[in-house]
Amino acid sequence: MNRQRILIVDDSPTMRKVIILQLSTLDVEILVANDGRLHGFDMVSNHPVDLVVTDVDMPQMDGITLCKKLQADPKTDAIPIVIQSSFDSELNIEKGFNAGASAYISKKELTTSLVGTVRSLLRKSSINRTRRVMVVDDSAMIRKIVGQGLEKKGFQVITAENGKAALALIDSNLPHLILSDVNMPEMDGYAFCRAVHEDSGLSDIPFVVMSVRQEMSRVRRMLSLGAEAYLFKPFNIDELVILIEKLLSDQYHLLLMEKERLSNERKLVLSSIASLATALEARDAYTPPGHSAEVARIVSQMGLLAGLDEEKVNRLRKSISGELHDIGKIGVKDAVLLKPGRLTEEEFEAIKQHPVTGANILRPIDSFSDIIEVVQHHHEHFDDKGYPNGLKGEAIPFWARMIAVADTYNALTSDRPYRKGMTAEKALQIIKEASGTQLCPDCVDLFFKCTDRWGRHQGP
């Protein structure tokens, strides 16, 4: 991913160094110019940047004039501009914002405010470029003016002439915000707003009403149906952009808070289930201490070697697919689970239910939905002679097929009540012979590549 670019425009070499030092804590590319006209404006025109930090008092072209020129050019009017100056009276600050600046910082506050301001503006600008706004209005002129204005500010825009047309577009072009008129043919703003908020997949999208000032009663009705805000026509694009950025920023923070809440909830649940797994291993005569953790470690190495997403590999290792794949044994009777000798056929049938039990334990937890099938199918055989569903070949989830190989290796090399663990060499030979029948050939190949890294006779 390319780094964001910041242009510093200041005629003072000392100030340029100070600003560069301040911004060095950010992962950005920095360009410099020593005046507004000969270097600043020309550089932005020829080398697209994501943000400009400019002084006010400069030769050739001062910062206020540079700001105005950048804002007047359709190619550069969406670039956030930070003005930093020794002139920090209310009049000077007002001049800066009137010229189109996004922020105005006094030089005496540079070391405390610049980095936070720049980081916030870059994040907001980046969010805008990925955000899609749906404009719904029966007036083609309004759709065109508002759509073009938002696109110039960096937003993606989709348009529709009424609520019915908008709903038809939403499935393939899910917007991050909806801007809608009230009076429209076929489906008006009331019906459209109601339909959006009654759909669980759409109800979180901020809904903004466009209306004339004489329709305040209609605006109140739209707000009662779930609309978040309103704008009276006519409005200017800057006014609209400020409102949209505020709503999207609020929604972004709410989503972050919800993500953090779910993450904390998941950690608590995982901690509780991990404690169960540890207790389970302690009471299970057939499962050697550390079995689950070792299977998880082997599977994660196989996953990384297969080129799978590292974040998902780590997530699955830390969560359930490896460490807690046998959690369903918690539902097996002690008389069976703790039996010191070999199991009868009936007792083995009871043991064979533990993948289903494990999946059922996890199923009520929404955040574990992507790993339930791994827990349920890790004892399936490649030749369809496994359990609980008798799946065959690639119908078995890939992660479950990898777990089957790692599980087999650890089981063969571990001591059991009725036998001593095998040597690594003998276990590897058995796994090789089971390739294509009990075990997936591709996963066996991955496993042997891992053993080559470990040292074939030393084990993992």
Side-chain angles (χ1 to χ4, degrees), residues 4-26 28-45 47-59 61-63 66-67 70 79-85 105 107 110 114-115 118 122:
Q4 292 175 295
R5 307 174 80 186
I6 297 176
L7 172 65
I8 300 169
V9 188
D10 199 304
D11 61 322
S12 166
T14 301
M15 283 308 302
R16 292 200 298 270
K17 288 179 181 178
V18 169
I19 295 171
I20 290 171
L21 181 62
Q22 290 293 308
L23 298 181
S24 63
T25 59
L26 303 176
V28 295
E29 180 183 348
I30 296 177
L31 307 176
V32 295
N34 55 21
D35 68 69
R37 181 173 69 85
L38 295 178
H39 298 104
F41 183 75
D42 292 342
M43 189 172 290
V44 175
S45 299
H47 300 85
V49 298
D50 297 284
L51 184 140
V52 173
V53 178
T54 181
D55 188 20
V56 171
D57 190 18
M58 297 182 295
M61 181 187 290
D62 62 48
L66 172 62
C67 190
L70 291 174
I79 299 174
I81 302 170
V82 178
I83 290 179
Q84 49 89 20
S85 176
I105 300 176
K107 286 190 176 181
L110 204 63
L114 181 63
V115 172
V118 168
L122 285 176

Side-chain angles (χ1 to χ4, degrees), residues 19 29 66 112 121 124 162 212 296 329 334 342 362 406 413:
I19 295 171
E29 180 183 348
L66 172 62
T112 58
L121 289 172
K124 185 186 295 184
N162 56 55
V212 296
K329 287 184 179 179
D334 285 355
R342 289 185 177 275
L362 303 174
T413 55

Side-chain angles (χ1 to χ4, degrees), residues 7 50 65 73 117 130 136 192 244 304:
L7 172 65
D50 297 284
T65 304
D73 189 329
T117 299
T130 62
V136 186
F192 178 41
I244 290 175
L304 291 173

Side-chain angles (χ1 to χ4, degrees), residues 315-328:
R315 175 177 175 273
L316 286 167
R317 176 181 177 175
K318 290 176 183 177
S319 54
I320 287 177
S321 66
E323 293 179 7
L324 301 177
H325 61 289
D326 279 334
I327 190 66

Side-chain angles (χ1 to χ4, degrees), residues 62 89 92 129 139-140 190 224 276 292 303 310 326 413 416:
D62 62 48
S89 68
N92 287 315
R129 286 195 295 272
S139 167
Y190 303 129
S224 72
L276 277 176
S292 293
E310 185 173 355
D326 279 334
T413 55
R416 294 297 171 97

